[in-house]
Amino acid sequence: MNHNDAPIIVGLDIGTTKIAAIAGRKNEFGKLEILGFGRANSNGVSHGQVLNIDQTIRAIQAALENCALSNPDLEINEVYVGIAGHHIKSLQTRGDIVRQDADIEISRAEVEQLINNQRKTFIPAGDQIIDVIAQDFHVDSNQNIKDPIGYNGVKVGANFHIITGDRNAIRNINRAVTRSGLQTKDLVLQPLASASAVMSEIDMEAGVAILDIGGGTSDLAVFYEGILKHTAVIPFGGENITNDIRLGLGVLKTQAEAMKVQFGSALADETKTNAFITIPGLKGMPAKEISVKSLAQIIQARMSEILDFVTYHLKQVGLDHRYLNGGIILTGGGSQLKHLIQLTEYATGLNARIGLPNEHLAANHIDELKKPMYATCIGLILKGYNDYDHQYKEFKEQFIKMEVPSALKKQATAPEAPVAVAPSPVTPISDSEKAGVNIAPRIKFWDKFKNNLIDLFKEEEDQVIR
C-alpha cells in the first residue's frame, strides 16, 4: 500500500508548561513520518487541568500556527487529545456475557458488546468514563486469553481497567479544542499515549513501568505479561520542582526554571560543594550566589517524593523488582534532569532508562522531535493508527499526498573538503633519532608526571559558575 493512502493523524498535547501539535503519517515501512510540528507555551492549564479556557484557546491556536509554519499545506481538523490531571482515577471490573449458540465462534461484535457493557459500570457522581481497556479474557474454563475471537464457548468474559475523570474537567478540554476550530477525535490518557511511543512488545512482556514526568503531573502506567495492570496520576511534576527552587532559594520563577535546566541535578551527592551560581540582583541590589549543592538538594527532595509515590503504587498492585524485569522507563520533559536515572534506581530498586520516542519514528527527522517531552504527542498519533487499523473509528477515504517538509528533516552534512597540507621544512636529525630512539613520548611523560605532582600540592580553589 502506498503510504499516501494512509490518513494524516494529529496529536494535541495540552500540558501545564507547553502545548504541542504534531501531525504524522505511517510510511510503507510502518514508521511515522512527521508532516507538521508546532508548540507554544501553555497558559490557563494547571496540573493538567484546563482552568482558563480563553488562555488555553490562545495557546492552542499559537501551537497550530507554528505547526502551519512548518508545513503550510497541512490542514488540521480532527485531533487526538491527551488528558491527565488530579481528577483521573482508575478501577478494576470483571464482566461476561452468555452466548446463545456455543458452537458458533466468538465474533468481534460480541467482544465489542462486552466492552460497551462496562461503560454502564457505576461510578461516582460527577465522573465520566474516559476509556475501557480489556486486560485478559476468559472463555468458559479457559483463562488468560489475549484475544477470544475464534474460540467456542457458552460464556465469554474479561477483566477490565476502567479510567474515569471529572466531567467538568473533560468538558473544559473539549470546549477549548472545539472553540479553537478543531474536533476531538478521542481523549487518550497521557501515560498510555507516552507508553506506546517509548516501549516495545519486549518491554510489555518483560514487565515495565512508564513514568511520564510532565510539568504539572507525573503519570504512571504499569505493564506486565503484555497487559496493562495499573495507571495512576501523581500530583507533582516539573512545575512543583521549579516552585520549590523559587521559594527555597528566594529567586524569580524564570531564574528558578533556568537554574533547574542548566545546573539542576537529582542527586545532591554528585554535585560539587564549592560550585556556585551567580544570580544578578534586582534594580541595583547586589548579586546573589547560590550553591549548586543546595539547588540539587531541593530537586532531590521533590523527585524522591514522586518516586515514593511510584513505589507505593507498585506495591499496591503487587509488582516490584521481582516482576518488572524491564524496570522503569522515564519520559516527559522532567526526565532530562541530570542523575535522575541513578536516583530512580536507588529509590525503587529497579533498573531505569530514558524513554525516547525514536522506536516508531522514521529516520532523518530533526533531533527536537526525538526529545522525551514529545512522547505523548507521538503516542497520540499511534493511538489514532490503532483505531484506523482495527476500524474502531471512521476516517476519510481520500487522503492527501504530502511529503515530510524540509524544516522537519535533518539536513545532510556535506563531506569536508580535503585540506591541503604544505610540506614541512626538512629538519636536521639528531644522533639519538638516528639511533632509533624517540624522545618526544618520554618528554611528554615527564612533563605530565611533574604537573601531576604540582597539582597534588595545590589547594582546591572555590569555583564560581557565572
Side-chain angles (χ1 to χ4, degrees):
M1 181 186 74
N2 190 335
H3 71 281
N4 285 313
D5 293 335
I8 298 172
I9 295 174
V10 182
L12 181 65
D13 179 12
I14 303 175
T16 304
T17 56
K18 72 165 192 327
I19 291 180
I22 299 180
R25 166 188 279 163
K26 279 192 176 180
N27 61 18
E28 57 268 30
F29 306 107
K31 297 293 185 180
L32 279 182
E33 292 182 345
I34 304 303
L35 304 178
F37 165 62
R39 62 160 289 176
N41 292 330
S42 180
N43 292 307
V45 183
S46 178
H47 296 289
Q49 290 183 251
V50 175
L51 300 182
N52 188 312
I53 294 178
D54 289 338
Q55 289 182 354
T56 306
I57 290 171
R58 286 195 289 270
I60 292 174
Q61 290 175 341
L64 293 175
E65 288 171 5
N66 291 330
C67 190
L69 288 175
S70 69
N71 188 349
D73 298 329
L74 189 64
E75 183 179 346
I76 299 176
N77 297 313
E78 298 177 330
V79 290
Y80 278 81
V81 183
I83 184 170
H86 300 170
H87 60 97
I88 299 295
K89 296 185 284 289
S90 62
L91 62 136
Q92 302 291 126
T93 63
R94 184 181 175 96
D96 47 46
I97 55 175
V98 177
R99 307 180 65 234
Q100 298 294 327
D101 192 342
D103 294 330
I104 299 177
E105 295 177 356
I106 297 171
S107 65
R108 171 65 62 186
E110 289 176 297
V111 173
E112 290 179 357
Q113 178 191 344
L114 181 64
I115 294 173
N116 289 332
N117 287 346
Q118 300 309 304
R119 294 191 173 273
K120 302 171 186 176
T121 301
F122 173 79
I123 58 175
D127 283 357
Q128 179 179 329
I129 292 178
I130 297 173
D131 206 354
V132 177
I133 301 167
Q135 295 177 312
D136 57 340
F137 293 88
H138 52 269
V139 179
D140 294 343
S141 60
N142 298 314
Q143 302 291 325
N144 300 322
I145 300 170
K146 289 189 176 180
D147 189 355
I149 295 175
Y151 279 74
N152 296 323
V154 176
K155 186 170 70 172
V156 58
N159 295 313
F160 294 94
H161 187 79
I162 299 179
I163 299 166
T164 67
D166 181 73
R167 192 181 301 273
N168 288 329
I170 295 171
R171 187 184 294 120
N172 283 349
I173 289 178
N174 286 327
R175 191 177 297 166
V177 172
T178 302
R179 286 172 57 182
S180 300
L182 304 171
Q183 181 181 346
T184 302
K185 192 78 171 176
D186 197 8
L187 281 176
V188 183
L189 189 65
Q190 286 187 8
L192 298 184
S194 301
S196 64
V198 302
M199 73 177 185
S200 62
E201 292 292 330
I202 297 174
D203 292 322
M204 287 186 68
E205 291 295 332
V208 69
I210 311 291
L211 181 60
D212 183 351
I213 307 171
T217 60
S218 296
D219 308 320
L220 180 68
V222 185
F223 296 85
Y224 180 63
E225 292 183 343
I227 298 170
L228 174 67
K229 288 292 186 180
H230 187 65
T231 57
V233 176
I234 299 167
F236 302 114
E239 281 281 287
N240 298 94
I241 298 174
T242 302
N243 286 329
D244 290 347
I245 297 169
R246 179 179 64 85
L247 295 173
L249 300 178
V251 296
L252 298 176
K253 187 176 181 179
T254 52
Q255 294 171 336
E257 180 68 23
M259 284 194 295
K260 181 183 75 174
V261 172
Q262 294 180 39
F263 308 110
S265 170
L267 272 181
D269 290 343
E270 294 294 326
T271 59
K272 295 181 179 179
T273 310
N274 55 359
F276 293 86
I277 306 165
T278 301
I279 300 295
L282 298 175
K283 294 185 177 180
M285 294 179 67
K288 180 185 291 187
E289 285 193 347
I290 293 170
S291 167
V292 173
K293 197 171 194 70
S294 299
L295 174 66
Q297 287 170 343
I298 294 172
I299 295 173
Q300 181 176 342
R302 181 62 77 176
M303 280 308 311
S304 296
E305 188 176 8
I306 293 172
L307 293 171
D308 286 343
F309 273 95
V310 173
T311 304
Y312 167 78
H313 283 288
L314 294 179
K315 287 181 178 178
Q316 286 290 98
V317 293
L319 295 172
D320 54 19
H321 63 276
R322 295 171 296 175
Y323 302 99
L324 298 181
N325 295 322
I328 293 182
I329 299 177
L330 303 167
T331 189
S335 66
Q336 296 174 296
L337 269 173
K338 191 187 295 183
H339 300 127
L340 181 57
I341 292 177
Q342 293 93 317
L343 178 64
T344 303
E345 292 180 339
Y346 173 77
T348 64
L350 293 164
N351 294 325
R353 64 180 173 90
I354 302 299
L356 305 173
N358 296 348
E359 182 138 350
H360 304 281
L361 277 181
N364 298 326
H365 280 103
I366 57 175
D367 293 335
E368 179 71 15
L369 291 169
K370 300 174 184 177
K371 290 183 177 179
M373 67 177 68
Y374 302 116
T376 297
C377 246
I378 300 296
L380 291 171
I381 300 174
L382 295 173
K383 172 62 168 62
Y385 265 99
N386 183 65
D387 290 346
Y388 173 71
D389 293 337
H390 293 90
Q391 298 180 351
Y392 292 149
K393 294 186 179 296
E394 294 183 2
F395 292 83
K396 294 180 181 178
E397 293 185 2
Q398 293 184 349
F399 306 121
I400 304 169
K401 183 176 180 180
M402 193 175 295
E403 300 297 330
V404 178
S406 58
L408 301 180
K409 280 184 180 178
K410 185 181 289 186
Q411 301 299 323
T413 56
E416 294 183 2
V419 180
V421 180
S424 58
V426 178
T427 56
I429 302 174
S430 65
D431 293 338
S432 59
E433 287 173 332
K434 287 180 182 177
V437 180
N438 192 354
I439 303 175
R442 191 179 303 170
I443 294 172
K444 289 179 181 176
F445 170 78
W446 284 109
D447 285 344
K448 186 177 180 182
F449 181 73
K450 181 180 68 176
N451 292 335
N452 287 340
L453 281 176
I454 293 170
D455 290 339
L456 284 175
F457 294 98
K458 278 186 177 179
E459 291 184 0
E460 186 178 2
E461 297 177 356
D462 288 349
Q463 297 180 4
V464 178
I465 301 175
R466 300 186 185 274

